Amino acid sequence: DAGVIQSPRHEVTEMGQEVTLRCKPISGHNSLFWYRQTMMRGLELLIYFNNNVPIDDSGMPEDRFSAKMPNASFSTLKIQPSEPRDSAVYFCASSSQTGWRGTSTDTQYFGPGTRLTVL
Amino acid sequence: RKEVEQDPGPFNVPEGATVAFNCTYSNSASQSFFWYRQDCRKEPKLLMSVYSSGNEDGRFTAQLNRASQYISLLIRDSKLSDSATYLCVVSSGGYQKVTFGTGTKLQVIP
């Protein structure tokens, strides 16, 4: 299995530009998570999907951030317009969970991350 | 109070030493607990799940104390390759929403 795939691996952009991060989860996994990691705040959950449906987006910082999962094999995280404080490493992770009342302890598998720098 | 709290360290220990990390969580309804390891500039990877009865994997032992709401990780006979940041992860809610601690940095020195 190829694991979770993220692109691009590195992104440098200027303030005000739109940024789109992409993620392909592990085939067969039904949950997908977007995280942001900074030195100051650690790893923060932004949003997660179960069976392509957004379940909790309370971690999304503000309206400039949006995420979609049009099908089971693809998700995007978009920032528009980007700001310097958005600079961070963005991770996508996927897992196979038993459903909304499940008590699955299945592992989350992380992609290699996208290192975003907004100038 | 943060949902999951860890001592950021760093813990600098000599090779062969035993080191222990604790992690406290605030939600008493939390259901699942994990330790992840993250190497510098890499993604987090599962180290081990933490079960109520405690569990061991080689040199690593994880324990859960529900009454005091903390989990622990014990590393025996530390190796240089154990140097990393160890993230405590707590999962709660029907959809298994997970919360990561900010991590404890371990540096094993020769």
Side-chain angles (χ1 to χ4, degrees):
Chain A
D1 198 323
V4 176
I5 299 173
Q6 289 187 249
S7 65
R9 295 291 305 276
H10 301 272
E11 176 80 31
V12 180
T13 189
E14 292 186 346
M15 182 174 64
Q17 296 297 307
E18 177 180 297
V19 175
T20 299
L21 311 181
R22 297 173 177 79
C23 175
K24 176 178 169 55
I26 292 173
S27 178
H29 282 188
N30 62 348
S31 291
L32 183 140
F33 306 79
W34 280 103
Y35 292 89
R36 176 173 70 177
Q37 187 172 40
T38 61
M39 289 292 291
M40 292 297 295
R41 301 172 68 91
L43 200 62
E44 302 173 280
L45 177 64
L46 300 177
I47 185 171
Y48 73 99
F49 296 84
N50 185 266
N51 293 323
N52 311 339
V53 176
I55 301 303
D56 187 344
D57 64 355
S58 60
M60 297 285 262
E62 48 198 273
D63 291 346
R64 298 185 296 108
F65 286 69
S66 62
K68 294 182 179 179
M69 192 165 186
N71 57 63
S73 59
F74 184 65
S75 177
T76 59
L77 177 68
K78 185 176 294 186
I79 309 172
Q80 166 64 20
S82 58
E83 297 182 4
R85 59 194 169 116
D86 301 330
S87 298
V89 180
Y90 290 81
F91 288 106
C92 173
S94 71
S95 72
S96 176
Q97 298 192 339
T98 60
W100 84 281
R101 285 195 181 279
T103 56
S104 167
T105 57
D106 286 337
T107 305
Q108 287 193 21
Y109 294 86
F110 282 75
T114 295
R115 187 170 297 274
L116 173 65
T117 302
V118 183
L119 303 174
Chain B
R1 183 182 174 186
K2 289 184 180 179
E3 289 185 60
V4 178
E5 292 200 68
Q6 293 184 255
D7 181 342
F11 284 61
N12 297 313
V13 302
E15 272 187 287
T18 296
V19 61
F21 311 134
N22 280 345
C23 164
T24 59
Y25 60 94
S26 60
N27 185 351
S28 59
S30 298
Q31 298 174 353
S32 304
F33 309 87
F34 310 87
W35 284 102
Y36 276 68
R37 169 190 170 132
Q38 186 173 22
D39 292 297
C40 186
R41 302 181 75 85
K42 296 288 188 180
E43 71 273 21
K45 293 183 179 180
L46 179 69
L47 178 66
M48 59 197 305
S49 302
V50 186
Y51 303 122
S52 296
S53 56
N55 48 300
E56 187 173 309
D57 183 0
R59 299 182 293 109
F60 298 83
T61 300
Q63 301 232 317
L64 167 64
N65 185 318
R66 284 191 184 273
S68 299
Q69 294 184 202
Y70 75 85
I71 65 174
S72 64
L73 177 67
L74 181 78
I75 305 175
R76 290 180 298 278
D77 188 23
S78 300
K79 311 291 184 188
L80 295 176
S81 57
D82 295 333
S83 297
T85 296
Y86 291 84
L87 303 167
C88 168
V89 183
V90 175
S91 179
S92 59
Y95 279 101
Q96 297 286 300
K97 178 178 177 179
V98 295
T99 303
F100 281 73
T102 52
T104 297
K105 186 172 182 179
L106 171 67
Q107 185 69 46
V108 180
I109 52 181

